[in-house]
Amino acid sequence: MDGTTATKWVYSFGAGANEGRAGMRNLLGGKGANLAEMASIGLPVPPGFTITTEVCTAFYANDRKYPSGLEKQVKDALAAVEQTTGFRFGDPANPLLVSVRSGARVSMPGMMDTVLNLGLNDATVDGLARKSGDARFAWDSYRRFIQMFGGVVLDVDHHRFEEIIDEVKHEKLVTEDTALTAEDWQRVVSGYKKVVEDATGKPFPQDPWDQLWAAVGAVFGSWMNQRAITYRRLHDIPADWGTAVNVQAMVFGNMGEDCATGVCFTRDPSTGTNLLYGEFLVNAQGEDVVAGIRTPQPLSKASAKPGEVSMEEVMPEVYAELMRVRGVLETHYRDMQDIEFTVQQRRLYMLQTRNGKRTAAASLCIAVDMANEGLIEREEAVRRVNPASLDQLLHPTLDPSAKRTPLGKGLPASPGAACGAVVFSAEEAEARAQKGESVILVRIETSPEDIAGMHAAKGILTTRGGMTSHAAVVARGMGRPCVAGAGGLAVDYTSQTLSAGGQVVRGGETITIDGATGEVFVGSVPMIEPQLSDEFATLMGWADEIRTLKVRTNAETPLDADTARKFGAEGIGLCRTEHMFFDAERILAVREMIMADDAEGRRRAIGKLLPHQRKDFVELFRIMAGLPVTIRLLDPPLHEFLPHSEEEIAEVAASIGAEAEAMARRVADLSEANPMLGHRGCRLGISYPEIYEMQARAIFEAALEVAKETGKAPIPEIMIPLVGMKKELEITRAQVDRMAEAVFAEKGAKVEYSVGTMIELPRAALTADRIADVADFFSFGTNDLTQTVFGLSRDDAGKFLPAYLEQGILAKDPFVSLDREGVGAMVKIAVEKGRATKPDIKLGICGEHGGDPASIAFCQEVGLDYVSCSPYRVPVARLAAAQAALGVGGVDRTA
Ligand code: ADP
Ligand code: MG
Ligand code: MG
């Protein structure tokens, strides 16, 4: 980047022209872009300018030097601010003060904190006092400036500043800041200046321009600090995005009782309720709200608790103006906004707006409400809700009837219940979570360094801070349950204890938190299934209208099938029959079948299994009456069902009248070197036809029974596993068809059915055109297909897959999100070849991938008919399928 071309490095807002707009967030950062946008739609924004993210990038590309031309552009932009405000930067009689604020493309904790009141020095403080007629305010502002600049830019330990204030208060025998006079603050300032000089070896900078450039440099410097780097790594934010710097004329919320500062959401970020939701502090500056020294008050009267005084009551006109601005912002941005504002002498100023972070429940509620209010289209509402976040809504809450031992209570900062071992540091949370432990991160308060630990924890508990504290905001964004500001609980990091009212919980002991109520309990409290809101049903209905992919479930048990139906499953895409074999009542018969010497012995044992299998299918078919049910015939190698202990072997031996020794030999015979590639799937059906025949009989008899009982025939789709060659399917299909004929003849009735295969071997995909000759449907078994295409075993992948992900060899775990490049290519081949032979062949997917939004987008692209996933993923899949139909692309937007 060279300075000779006239690159524009600085964009003004509110001062003369508004040179930016909301769409320019890449260049101006989120904060700068939205300040410009708000100014341009006529909202009251103090004037200022934004130094672009390109300056940050150029700064790091060029050995930490600013591009030429920057200095002049900053000077000119500041002159425009002076012009607009009538104040002058560094003018002792009439000083302009500014804030210096960082702002990346995406909101990013870890960046430099804001510096307020910049431009104050020993001379301008007098000017401010005279102009405002309030010396106390002027000196309080000056000390705030030194404190912030000292801490943020000069890296002076903040305790040293606090000590000075404490000394002055101590001498005056007062405890509140409000009891301090102008002279007291003047003394604090002298003390502060000494602290700075001691710590840095230089006097506190008096030249406002030096102050400004130092603050700007600190913002750019913070882009590369450890906190910011960690945050970027966790959220996949590239380092070359850079941060912008905003310089903005100060407005003062600390000039008296008719001044205030506050933060709010245009709707409730926990529930989504359409009510202004936020807090304010009278006679305060922005940092006071975050610091939590004083208790903020609610904005609206409706949300005030006894003893609280709302802004609606104390500043009714300002409140009315805030409500007006809220309407303007929501109409303009068409989304819930998170705003920061300051009131100076009853005038409202907007200092920030952005799309507000929200819980999954709120996201859903707001999207549906906004569509109903006509602010957005229904399709947009469907687009906005992150399918993966629905998981949270489907998660359990505490069982109200369960016995519990309360420990204390805080604010309900982020809903959901969580239970785990108490840890007191983010590092420990990470370490223990890595070992698979559930932990609750317990802190006095959290800060950006704790992000990784918060992510690793099941829940977060803090004893300090409000609903907009760091812990609360971050937890809501991550979907972690959080109880914040539980002031009645005492955390002692040294003794590693959490205590309240005589009860002591030590590190490692279990607690339960309820983020919806703010309650904290000792031990683990039983949880129950969630209740789904009306908005949930509405959004799902809209999604169903949009999507073209059908959504089925993987289910073997009536409970799973029932749950999935309630969540909207349109049939069963995979019923694994082997699960039905493991039942205690049946395992003996299963073992007899395996141990039998001949077909005769096998038939006898299988005869005992038949009524059980039929009963299983009857139960499933009742729940799925009228819907397709894909039943996979026995798949795993037989040795999985074998007796292991001597007692078990003796039991089977006795039951079939054989020698225990012979039994033990048979067990050894059946064991395989590589069972995954061994005697399993249709290979079993070919060597032991009696097994598949029995299963087919059970299916047809059950289907006829339910058809008769309900009048609605289920549609069995019989699926043969692990087919690699057309001939395998031909033989096994013939077994099934023969059995169908036999049963239909016996019962004098028929049901519709189809026979197809899983595509889970590369050979099956590559010869899908031939296999399609004898298949009515294909179901992609992408778990096995991933194993066979990669040639890796999922059960052993844990040893090396993490390293592959870390080193970027794989972008995502291929067992979670379908590998488009390899496995996806194989699926595509099979789809094309299958359709070439049989254009209307039914195609579905039944691996874990059927519930993964990115994989669902792939299924849409290649034109599958349905996806099938576990019951709790069904709503996720319905929404993801709708988004796929809208071309959203299944991008993971959880970060
Ligand atoms: P963050 O990104 O941490 O929210 P901000 O840059 O938004 O940091 O600043 C934090 C707070 O500082 C603001 O919410 C506001 O209260 C206060 N602030 C920032 N700029 C100004 C200003 N020009 N005038 C008055 N207060 C300001
Ligand atoms: Mg802010
Ligand atoms: Mg398989």
Side-chain angles (χ1 to χ4, degrees):
M1 214 149 297
D2 74 2
T4 53
T5 52
T7 311
K8 188 165 172 56
W9 304 110
V10 174
Y11 287 71
S12 292
F13 55 83
N18 287 306
E19 297 177 320
R21 32 184 183 77
M24 292 164 71
R25 67 182 306 137
N26 292 357
L27 185 65
L28 303 180
K31 203 179 282 171
N34 284 318
L35 282 168
E37 184 83 9
M38 283 198 292
S40 71
I41 60 171
L43 292 178
V45 176
F49 56 88
T50 304
I51 302 174
T52 68
T53 56
E54 286 176 0
V55 174
C56 183
T57 318
F59 178 75
Y60 281 106
N62 196 16
D63 216 9
R64 301 200 177 215
K65 281 199 276 299
Y66 292 124
S68 64
L70 175 67
E71 196 175 326
K72 168 148 193 331
Q73 292 184 26
V74 167
K75 281 224 153 78
D76 292 347
L78 195 70
V81 176
E82 293 177 332
Q83 189 92 66
T84 309
T85 58
F87 299 113
R88 298 205 38 216
F89 197 51
D91 181 351
N94 185 30
L96 169 69
L97 305 189
V98 297
S99 63
V100 176
R101 321 169 62 185
S102 61
R105 278 192 213 187
V106 289
S107 153
M108 221 183 85
M111 295 303 300
M112 189 201 82
D113 288 329
T114 299
V115 174
L116 303 180
N117 307 329
L118 187 139
L120 278 174
N121 59 25
D122 295 351
T124 54
V125 68
D126 284 329
L128 183 65
R130 266 196 308 281
K131 266 255 151 188
S132 64
D134 187 346
R136 182 183 184 281
F137 152 72
W139 284 98
D140 177 32
S141 299
Y142 191 18
R143 72 90 192 171
R144 284 171 187 269
F145 170 50
I146 301 175
Q147 190 170 339
M148 270 190 261
F149 190 93
V152 168
V153 181
L154 303 176
D155 221 13
V156 179
D157 183 4
H158 68 96
H159 292 296
R160 308 201 40 195
F161 294 121
E162 277 152 29
E163 278 164 19
I164 305 271
I165 298 197
D166 287 345
E167 264 169 45
V168 174
K169 282 188 193 161
H170 188 72
E171 276 172 35
K172 292 202 65 180
L173 300 173
V174 297
T175 54
E176 299 291 325
D177 284 7
T178 44
L180 298 182
T181 62
E183 290 69 35
D184 295 330
W185 287 124
Q186 202 163 351
R187 283 181 52 211
V188 169
V189 165
S190 307
Y192 274 14
K193 287 200 292 190
K194 277 203 203 77
V195 165
V196 169
E197 188 152 3
D198 277 357
T200 65
K202 278 185 244 156
F204 185 78
Q206 290 290 315
D207 180 345
W209 280 104
D210 289 348
Q211 296 172 353
L212 183 61
W213 284 109
V216 170
V219 173
F220 289 140
S222 71
W223 182 251
M224 288 294 173
N225 73 25
Q226 199 49 53
R227 265 160 55 180
I229 291 171
T230 303
Y231 186 88
R232 283 200 292 274
R233 180 170 55 75
L234 281 173
H235 292 87
D236 287 331
I237 299 170
D240 65 7
W241 276 11
T243 181
V245 183
N246 301 289
V247 177
Q248 186 177 29
M250 283 299 301
V251 286
F252 300 99
N254 59 331
M255 275 177 100
E257 296 301 306
D258 57 356
C259 302
T261 186
V263 291
C264 74
F265 292 88
T266 54
R267 300 185 188 215
D268 187 327
S270 292
T271 63
T273 308
N274 188 2
L275 280 174
L276 189 64
Y277 181 89
E279 314 171 311
F280 81 119
L281 267 178
V282 169
N283 198 6
Q285 269 192 330
E287 77 273 16
D288 299 334
V289 180
V290 185
I293 305 163
R294 289 161 56 195
T295 310
Q297 299 294 303
L299 295 172
S300 60
K301 205 169 152 186
S303 58
K305 292 191 210 69
E308 290 183 331
V309 200
S310 67
M311 175 186 251
E312 190 174 0
E313 290 159 288
V314 292
M315 297 181 173
E317 318 85 33
V318 179
Y319 179 77
E321 170 69 356
L322 188 60
M323 291 296 282
R324 184 189 74 83
V325 168
R326 166 186 185 244
V328 171
L329 283 174
E330 281 209 343
T331 311
H332 186 72
Y333 284 97
R334 303 184 318 129
D335 201 354
M336 185 264 267
Q337 297 295 296
D338 169 357
I339 62 190
E340 298 176 9
F341 63 88
T342 282
V343 178
Q344 178 177 329
Q345 294 166 322
R346 296 191 181 268
R347 264 211 69 177
L348 176 71
Y349 293 94
M350 299 306 299
L351 293 172
Q352 190 167 344
T353 192
R354 59 185 156 193
N355 290 344
K357 288 223 159 83
R358 62 205 78 180
T359 62
S363 163
L364 201 141
C365 173
I366 290 169
V368 170
D369 282 353
M370 285 195 164
N372 285 334
E373 290 159 26
L375 274 177
I376 57 174
E377 300 289 321
R378 283 182 179 185
E379 288 189 352
E380 177 61 20
V382 165
R383 256 195 209 104
R384 277 192 188 175
V385 178
N386 179 355
S389 77
L390 295 183
D391 243 3
Q392 279 178 54
L393 304 181
L394 309 172
H395 277 316
T397 48
L398 295 184
D399 178 352
S401 66
K403 234 186 77 198
R404 46 184 86 187
T405 317
L407 181 66
K409 195 164 180 193
L411 300 168
S414 178
C419 163
V422 168
V423 296
F424 292 103
S425 75
E427 295 77 50
E428 193 181 349
E430 273 188 280
R432 291 176 81 145
Q434 214 143 50
K435 290 189 202 135
E437 253 184 278
S438 299
V439 300
I440 305 287
L441 177 61
V442 179
R443 302 282 303 163
I444 294 172
E445 58 198 337
T446 62
S447 64
E449 294 98 278
D450 297 331
I451 299 269
M454 294 171 77
H455 207 266
K458 289 274 184 263
I460 296 141
L461 168 63
T462 67
T463 55
R464 200 185 283 165
M467 293 295 283
T468 49
S469 65
H470 180 264
V473 171
V474 173
R476 279 199 293 272
M478 288 178 177
R480 291 289 174 287
C482 174
V483 172
L489 297 178
V491 167
D492 186 336
Y493 294 136
T494 322
S495 66
Q496 295 272 295
T497 54
L498 169 68
S499 51
Q503 294 187 89
V504 179
V505 176
R506 288 173 201 293
E509 290 175 3
T510 304
I511 60 168
T512 302
I513 62 169
D514 186 344
T517 62
E519 290 164 298
V520 183
F521 306 98
V522 181
S524 70
V525 180
M527 305 194 183
I528 50 161
E529 297 312 315
Q531 291 288 314
L532 294 174
S533 66
D534 293 347
E535 288 83 9
F536 181 89
T538 305
L539 190 82
M540 283 295 140
W542 294 346
D544 291 347
E545 280 167 27
I546 293 165
R547 72 185 158 89
T548 52
L549 275 171
K550 296 258 180 213
V551 176
R552 299 194 192 178
T553 191
N554 298 351
E556 290 77 53
T557 66
L559 178 67
D560 278 354
D562 207 42
T563 307
R565 280 292 282 141
K566 289 201 184 105
F567 285 149
E570 299 162 295
I572 289 179
L574 177 64
C575 166
R576 307 174 182 88
T577 49
E578 56 271 17
H579 289 240
M580 299 169 164
F581 279 43
F582 280 114
D583 191 279
E585 272 182 48
R586 313 169 186 179
I587 188 77
L588 186 61
V590 173
R591 285 171 179 162
E592 284 179 37
M593 168 184 88
I594 300 169
M595 296 306 201
D597 292 331
D598 50 17
E600 182 52 31
R602 267 197 299 279
R603 283 227 164 77
R604 222 180 9 252
I606 282 171
K608 295 187 196 166
L609 284 172
L610 177 66
H612 292 296
Q613 279 263 278
R614 189 171 49 223
K615 184 166 154 283
D616 293 331
F617 294 134
V618 165
E619 285 176 4
L620 278 185
F621 288 162
R622 269 195 200 121
I623 296 167
M624 293 288 162
L627 296 172
V629 178
T630 306
I631 296 163
R632 180 178 72 187
L633 301 187
L634 194 67
D635 181 29
L638 294 179
H639 75 92
E640 283 196 13
F641 305 102
L642 284 176
H644 296 292
S645 67
E646 265 175 47
E647 283 148 48
E648 282 174 348
I649 293 178
E651 185 190 18
V652 184
S655 162
I656 58 172
E659 295 284 321
E661 231 171 87
M663 285 292 97
R665 263 202 309 280
R666 179 93 173 116
V667 171
D669 273 358
L670 280 167
S671 90
E672 292 176 312
N674 194 344
M676 194 183 92
L677 303 177
H679 195 184
R680 56 169 288 213
C682 65
R683 298 161 196 170
L684 285 176
I686 287 170
S687 28
Y688 302 119
E690 308 81 18
I691 300 177
Y692 280 9
E693 281 167 10
M694 179 278 286
Q695 292 196 295
R697 174 173 280 280
I699 292 167
F700 293 123
E701 289 182 356
L704 287 172
E705 190 178 325
V706 173
K708 201 162 150 196
E709 177 191 308
T710 63
K712 270 195 285 181
I715 309 161
E717 298 181 345
I718 295 164
M719 179 154 79
I720 312 292
L722 214 74
V723 165
M725 290 160 269
K726 176 181 172 184
K727 197 87 190 160
E728 289 172 319
L729 184 59
E730 240 167 33
I731 294 172
T732 44
R733 166 168 204 143
Q735 296 170 6
V736 173
D737 286 338
R738 268 198 310 275
M739 192 51 74
E741 260 171 60
V743 174
F744 295 164
E746 283 164 30
K747 306 282 174 189
K750 281 186 178 191
V751 288
E752 212 187 292
Y753 74 97
S754 58
V755 182
T757 181
M758 293 191 87
I759 301 288
E760 51 190 339
L761 294 176
R763 196 183 193 289
L766 297 172
T767 60
D769 47 347
R770 307 216 351 103
I771 294 175
D773 276 335
V774 280
D776 302 322
F777 63 86
F778 287 165
S779 175
F780 290 95
T782 48
N783 296 346
D784 266 320
L785 192 59
T786 300
Q787 298 200 91
T788 53
V789 166
F790 274 92
L792 66 78
S793 136
R794 171 155 76 161
D795 301 327
D796 300 307
K799 298 204 177 76
F800 54 88
L801 214 48
Y804 271 54
L805 295 170
E806 212 157 275
Q807 294 181 36
I809 299 171
L810 281 167
K812 276 187 172 176
D813 181 340
F815 292 105
V816 173
S817 202
L818 190 110
D819 158 53
R820 285 177 174 238
E821 200 177 69
V823 180
M826 197 61 89
V827 171
K828 250 191 199 150
I829 290 172
V831 168
E832 278 158 21
K833 293 199 164 211
R835 287 234 164 98
T837 303
K838 203 174 262 180
D840 60 348
I841 190 166
K842 201 190 265 187
L843 303 172
I845 179 178
C846 63
E848 299 289 313
H849 303 98
D852 168 63
S855 310
I856 291 171
F858 172 80
C859 295
Q860 174 88 21
E861 272 169 43
V862 297
L864 300 195
D865 298 301
Y866 68 88
V867 299
S868 186
C869 56
S870 65
Y872 278 89
R873 300 294 293 182
V874 166
V876 175
R878 285 163 73 193
L879 184 55
Q883 293 189 350
L886 293 172
V888 174
V891 182
D892 182 8
R893 292 171 301 142
T894 39

